[in-house]
Amino acid sequence: MNTWLSGHQPTSEDLDFSLDQEVEKRLRQMDVVLAILGLTMLALPLGLALLFGKIVREPQQGRNRESFDRLSMVFSSNMIGMGFRFLGAEHWLVMINILRGEMAWIGPCSNSNGVGAAAAFKVRPGIANPWTIRQRTASDFASEQTVILNYLKHRSPRQSFGILIRAAMTALFPSAPLEVQPRVKICDVEFDNLSMRQAIRHLEHMLDEQQTHQICFVNPACINIASGVEFYRRILARASMVLPDGIGTKIAADLLGTPLRQNVNGTDLFPRLCDLLNQRSASLFLLGGQQGVAEKVAKVIEDRWPNVRIVGVRDGFFSTSQEGEVAEQVRVSQADVLLVARGVPMQDIFIDRYLDFLGVKIAMGVGGLFDFVSGRINRAPDWMREMGLEWIYRFLQEPGRMWSRYLVGNFTFLARVIAQRAGMRRSANVTQKSVAESQAPVQLNPEQSRAVIFATTASPRGIPVHDDFPAALLPLGSSTIIEQLMTQLSAIPIKEIDIVVSLNPEGLRGVLGNGERWGVKLNWHLAKDPQRPYEALRGQYSGRDTPVLVGHADCWLSEMAMNELIEGEAMAMQVDAQDRLAWLGWASINSSLLKVLSQHATKSELEALISSTHPHRTILNAGDCALVQGPESLLKAQDLALGLPSALLAPATWIQFPWGYMSPEAYLSSDAEVVGPTIVGPGCMIMDGAKIGPNAVLTKNVVVSHGTKVSHSIVMPGSFLSHDLDVDGSIVNAEAVLNVRLNVRTVLEASEGVLLGLKGTSPDLKRYLGQLLAMACVAGLQPVVLPYLMMRHLLGKPLPWRNQTVVTGRDPHSRKLYTGLMRCSPMGLEHPIPVMAHFGALLDVAQGVRRWFGVRPRHPNEWYSLSHEWQGLLAGAPIGLMHSSAWKDVGDQGSESIGAADVFYVVQHGSAEYFRISIKALKRFVRPR
């Protein structure tokens, strides 16, 4: 039997062994030789490192729980220190620990679960081990203790040397991420970013349901197919769970900055799925492979998992005309799970086509899994799988069939990923209509395909958020108001949406992207004045008059309410507390109204204009709309959200409980009590003794300590609730809490440990790379710049730049300006030698004072000449060496043209914008005016 199939969870008897002392002696000799060799080769650079660095001793536990000081070095943040850190000099001194006999090259970690193994088997802790390799390759499915004990059982010099080589190679991979996105998009395919344990938990919940779920595994070859086959993209978009398969998807996710939690491929998932089915005595149907292969797989399962009932076996060679017969055979078998091994995309097309007819609870396409399980094709050895080289082993087995997939397909896939990373690739979006084509379509006006959403309204006064926080980003159920609106609009379906933003455009852009999640196209517009945002759309509808749905993102409407507006070209109204009809900010109008709207029109003027041409009113019930006008209405909106259908209340990947929904990325203590309806978002932690609900919404990264009660409340992202609190009828945001019922707002000091904001920190890799590039440019220009500066000095001319006080930021609460000195050129791009004029700014980039790309530096007087709204947009933007061009790029930095160019950069910046700015700057340097 294959070792990967039978040995993923060893028993206690398997671990009953003692170490071979002769082997340990040879391992110690290998450690000493390699350490001496390493210190000899690094003698000169190590001596230099000791001059510039500081030795640090970190107390740790080693063999037999003996304490020792692990040696390392720290360096300053200057250029020399960064160079030593880049070479890994911080860890060179650990070889001295190895020579002393305190550590080994390969062994358990000294500060992890491996301490137990080190003490029990009297081994030295190591610099690397198989567990760290598996973490790097996202294949850490078993526990750390199991992996370490397996290593100790087969410990040998040859094996340890191989692990050392693998550790050196996998060190190029990024370390295990601290935070991950719940969904990862690679090219045109979105994945569920789950761990192996979370995926099994989802499968367990699916087995408890009565509907049929389709599970898809997608590797680079599948992504290449999806890029050109729309029907396959639709299938993946409809699937209940899409999981990454192979090292290629992990590398791509790392390149895109959205790392995978684990590489949950079908081959490693299979034995764990069989464990689950064995526990439940579930039934299984095997469909696929060559003749006789499925029967061999059934025999393996019967031997290894005797409680799994094989209720059907059939090979995968049947024609399209026979598909109905095969589907009927599966249905009659009454299987709980169907595994289909017919290759991509045939297996997924078959499952999707007969999903509602098969009668199973889980239908999963597994590719070549049957060949591995049956032994027809051997799987790659452990060391190749750990290093992500399994595809090479597969290619060597069947080069004639696999050369195109691996040699051509992998490079094609990599090119697509790089283009996506650079912002030069446009996704082939799947429309909502395509995803839901199997459902009954809504009867709509065929011309109705565009909407205009004004996300310019600030959060109402009283809600504990900062002043320029847009109401569109306030929570509503498991997401934000604007995300819920996107879901409703895409279901109508609306194909194109104009988004007008003013406050925090980057925050809104980060949430919505370009609309790929909903299969719609988003057009972004920036309004300078949030009270008069309608000017941004003047001229956008100069063509043929068409119906347009207009709405404001501080009000949520149900899908039924939006359909009523479209069908009748009406205004959405609601009876207010004074029994008067009030406009909710939503209407279906003719685009001609937007063309004749006054340049400085307000919302009340827009309402008057629509009322004059639209006598029809649609009066909505309380359950079809939620207008956020203050803290009390926000709490009421959450009560409404908790009663929404499950498809809107939470994503499909979330875990459903009797009390509500919880993100798979959240932690819930078994001793905590949750009363529904309640929503627990990603990153939330509910500790022992906490009581949550009813009507509680924990948005994201919320920590509730033991003994704390939260009910009828909203807890905003990044909040920490200390122990033994009673939060009822409140809105909590970091250090501020508002009791809506008592109308009492309290701001607590972080030192009190009651409420404080939680903000993750991560190294700004892009900034450091930018600094290194600037340092290289400075060094390369020295032979040219130094003679030029000396000549200017001899001629009595000043430097081509001056030190100027510029605004670097603003305190969000006190609005106090932060300033600093930067080297600014008074001559701009008119200087005869532009490189000289900007060399001072290049020095600023090398020192980390400014960035390569950003907004223009402004003196405080120039800053105050900007409008209040533009100040808010530019307050958090970095100062750049290169900027977005304007129609007039010289003169007063506070002028409208220069300010508009910087605001445009803040809203639109990305890889494509960086490329455009660089090309224009290069043209000016080469051909100065």
Side-chain angles (χ1 to χ4, degrees), residues 442-454:
V442 182
Q443 297 299 323
L444 300 175
N445 184 341
E447 292 183 331
Q448 182 65 48
S449 61
R450 194 159 183 177
V452 180
I453 306 299
F454 295 95

PDB file of all heavy atoms in Angstrom, residues 442-454:
ATOM      1  N   VAL A 442     -35.109  36.568 -13.585  1.00  0.00           N
ATOM      2  CA  VAL A 442     -36.044  37.629 -13.233  1.00  0.00           C
ATOM      3  C   VAL A 442     -36.471  38.339 -14.511  1.00  0.00           C
ATOM      4  O   VAL A 442     -35.650  38.641 -15.372  1.00  0.00           O
ATOM      5  CB  VAL A 442     -35.371  38.628 -12.265  1.00  0.00           C
ATOM      6  CG1 VAL A 442     -36.343  39.720 -11.860  1.00  0.00           C
ATOM      7  CG2 VAL A 442     -34.848  37.888 -11.055  1.00  0.00           C
ATOM      8  N   GLN A 443     -37.749  38.625 -14.654  1.00  0.00           N
ATOM      9  CA  GLN A 443     -38.255  39.308 -15.829  1.00  0.00           C
ATOM     10  C   GLN A 443     -37.937  40.801 -15.704  1.00  0.00           C
ATOM     11  O   GLN A 443     -38.453  41.495 -14.850  1.00  0.00           O
ATOM     12  CB  GLN A 443     -39.774  39.099 -15.948  1.00  0.00           C
ATOM     13  CG  GLN A 443     -40.166  37.645 -16.133  1.00  0.00           C
ATOM     14  CD  GLN A 443     -39.589  37.060 -17.405  1.00  0.00           C
ATOM     15  OE1 GLN A 443     -39.501  37.724 -18.426  1.00  0.00           O
ATOM     16  NE2 GLN A 443     -39.194  35.795 -17.340  1.00  0.00           N
ATOM     17  N   LEU A 444     -37.041  41.294 -16.576  1.00  0.00           N
ATOM     18  CA  LEU A 444     -36.574  42.672 -16.489  1.00  0.00           C
ATOM     19  C   LEU A 444     -36.660  43.351 -17.835  1.00  0.00           C
ATOM     20  O   LEU A 444     -36.735  42.712 -18.882  1.00  0.00           O
ATOM     21  CB  LEU A 444     -35.110  42.712 -16.011  1.00  0.00           C
ATOM     22  CG  LEU A 444     -34.822  42.106 -14.650  1.00  0.00           C
ATOM     23  CD1 LEU A 444     -33.320  42.119 -14.420  1.00  0.00           C
ATOM     24  CD2 LEU A 444     -35.520  42.873 -13.561  1.00  0.00           C
ATOM     25  N   ASN A 445     -36.571  44.665 -17.771  1.00  0.00           N
ATOM     26  CA  ASN A 445     -36.401  45.436 -18.981  1.00  0.00           C
ATOM     27  C   ASN A 445     -35.025  45.108 -19.558  1.00  0.00           C
ATOM     28  O   ASN A 445     -34.015  45.284 -18.879  1.00  0.00           O
ATOM     29  CB  ASN A 445     -36.481  46.932 -18.641  1.00  0.00           C
ATOM     30  CG  ASN A 445     -36.398  47.809 -19.884  1.00  0.00           C
ATOM     31  OD1 ASN A 445     -35.936  47.368 -20.938  1.00  0.00           O
ATOM     32  ND2 ASN A 445     -36.852  49.029 -19.741  1.00  0.00           N
ATOM     33  N   PRO A 446     -34.903  44.609 -20.763  1.00  0.00           N
ATOM     34  CA  PRO A 446     -33.604  44.199 -21.295  1.00  0.00           C
ATOM     35  C   PRO A 446     -32.615  45.347 -21.417  1.00  0.00           C
ATOM     36  O   PRO A 446     -31.416  45.124 -21.471  1.00  0.00           O
ATOM     37  CB  PRO A 446     -33.944  43.615 -22.670  1.00  0.00           C
ATOM     38  CG  PRO A 446     -35.274  44.194 -23.028  1.00  0.00           C
ATOM     39  CD  PRO A 446     -36.006  44.399 -21.755  1.00  0.00           C
ATOM     40  N   GLU A 447     -33.109  46.601 -21.478  1.00  0.00           N
ATOM     41  CA  GLU A 447     -32.182  47.719 -21.578  1.00  0.00           C
ATOM     42  C   GLU A 447     -31.607  48.108 -20.217  1.00  0.00           C
ATOM     43  O   GLU A 447     -30.627  48.844 -20.144  1.00  0.00           O
ATOM     44  CB  GLU A 447     -32.909  48.939 -22.164  1.00  0.00           C
ATOM     45  CG  GLU A 447     -33.304  48.773 -23.622  1.00  0.00           C
ATOM     46  CD  GLU A 447     -33.946  50.038 -24.161  1.00  0.00           C
ATOM     47  OE1 GLU A 447     -34.558  50.778 -23.372  1.00  0.00           O
ATOM     48  OE2 GLU A 447     -33.815  50.285 -25.362  1.00  0.00           O
ATOM     49  N   GLN A 448     -32.203  47.626 -19.127  1.00  0.00           N
ATOM     50  CA  GLN A 448     -31.765  48.019 -17.788  1.00  0.00           C
ATOM     51  C   GLN A 448     -30.503  47.242 -17.414  1.00  0.00           C
ATOM     52  O   GLN A 448     -30.551  46.088 -17.039  1.00  0.00           O
ATOM     53  CB  GLN A 448     -32.874  47.720 -16.772  1.00  0.00           C
ATOM     54  CG  GLN A 448     -32.507  48.140 -15.368  1.00  0.00           C
ATOM     55  CD  GLN A 448     -32.355  49.639 -15.264  1.00  0.00           C
ATOM     56  OE1 GLN A 448     -33.195  50.364 -15.725  1.00  0.00           O
ATOM     57  NE2 GLN A 448     -31.273  50.082 -14.670  1.00  0.00           N
ATOM     58  N   SER A 449     -29.362  47.859 -17.579  1.00  0.00           N
ATOM     59  CA  SER A 449     -28.121  47.151 -17.295  1.00  0.00           C
ATOM     60  C   SER A 449     -27.088  48.052 -16.644  1.00  0.00           C
ATOM     61  O   SER A 449     -25.918  47.689 -16.591  1.00  0.00           O
ATOM     62  CB  SER A 449     -27.535  46.568 -18.589  1.00  0.00           C
ATOM     63  OG  SER A 449     -27.249  47.610 -19.504  1.00  0.00           O
ATOM     64  N   ARG A 450     -27.481  49.220 -16.156  1.00  0.00           N
ATOM     65  CA  ARG A 450     -26.495  50.139 -15.587  1.00  0.00           C
ATOM     66  C   ARG A 450     -27.077  50.798 -14.341  1.00  0.00           C
ATOM     67  O   ARG A 450     -28.269  51.057 -14.245  1.00  0.00           O
ATOM     68  CB  ARG A 450     -26.096  51.207 -16.602  1.00  0.00           C
ATOM     69  CG  ARG A 450     -24.840  51.982 -16.194  1.00  0.00           C
ATOM     70  CD  ARG A 450     -24.194  52.640 -17.382  1.00  0.00           C
ATOM     71  NE  ARG A 450     -22.962  53.323 -17.020  1.00  0.00           N
ATOM     72  CZ  ARG A 450     -22.164  53.937 -17.875  1.00  0.00           C
ATOM     73  NH1 ARG A 450     -22.467  53.933 -19.169  1.00  0.00           N
ATOM     74  NH2 ARG A 450     -21.060  54.538 -17.475  1.00  0.00           N
ATOM     75  N   ALA A 451     -26.193  51.041 -13.382  1.00  0.00           N
ATOM     76  CA  ALA A 451     -26.602  51.700 -12.142  1.00  0.00           C
ATOM     77  C   ALA A 451     -25.542  52.715 -11.756  1.00  0.00           C
ATOM     78  O   ALA A 451     -24.376  52.617 -12.164  1.00  0.00           O
ATOM     79  CB  ALA A 451     -26.793  50.681 -11.023  1.00  0.00           C
ATOM     80  N   VAL A 452     -25.962  53.701 -10.971  1.00  0.00           N
ATOM     81  CA  VAL A 452     -25.067  54.725 -10.439  1.00  0.00           C
ATOM     82  C   VAL A 452     -25.227  54.725  -8.926  1.00  0.00           C
ATOM     83  O   VAL A 452     -26.331  54.930  -8.412  1.00  0.00           O
ATOM     84  CB  VAL A 452     -25.394  56.123 -11.004  1.00  0.00           C
ATOM     85  CG1 VAL A 452     -24.441  57.153 -10.411  1.00  0.00           C
ATOM     86  CG2 VAL A 452     -25.303  56.128 -12.518  1.00  0.00           C
ATOM     87  N   ILE A 453     -24.138  54.460  -8.211  1.00  0.00           N
ATOM     88  CA  ILE A 453     -24.162  54.421  -6.755  1.00  0.00           C
ATOM     89  C   ILE A 453     -23.272  55.541  -6.223  1.00  0.00           C
ATOM     90  O   ILE A 453     -22.083  55.621  -6.575  1.00  0.00           O
ATOM     91  CB  ILE A 453     -23.680  53.063  -6.207  1.00  0.00           C
ATOM     92  CG1 ILE A 453     -24.479  51.927  -6.830  1.00  0.00           C
ATOM     93  CG2 ILE A 453     -23.794  53.032  -4.691  1.00  0.00           C
ATOM     94  CD1 ILE A 453     -25.959  51.981  -6.539  1.00  0.00           C
ATOM     95  N   PHE A 454     -23.840  56.396  -5.381  1.00  0.00           N
ATOM     96  CA  PHE A 454     -23.093  57.488  -4.765  1.00  0.00           C
ATOM     97  C   PHE A 454     -22.668  57.058  -3.359  1.00  0.00           C
ATOM     98  O   PHE A 454     -23.477  57.007  -2.439  1.00  0.00           O
ATOM     99  CB  PHE A 454     -23.946  58.755  -4.710  1.00  0.00           C
ATOM    100  CG  PHE A 454     -24.283  59.302  -6.071  1.00  0.00           C
ATOM    101  CD1 PHE A 454     -25.486  58.978  -6.686  1.00  0.00           C
ATOM    102  CD2 PHE A 454     -23.390  60.117  -6.749  1.00  0.00           C
ATOM    103  CE1 PHE A 454     -25.798  59.468  -7.940  1.00  0.00           C
ATOM    104  CE2 PHE A 454     -23.686  60.606  -8.007  1.00  0.00           C
ATOM    105  CZ  PHE A 454     -24.890  60.281  -8.605  1.00  0.00           C
TER     106      PHE A 454
END
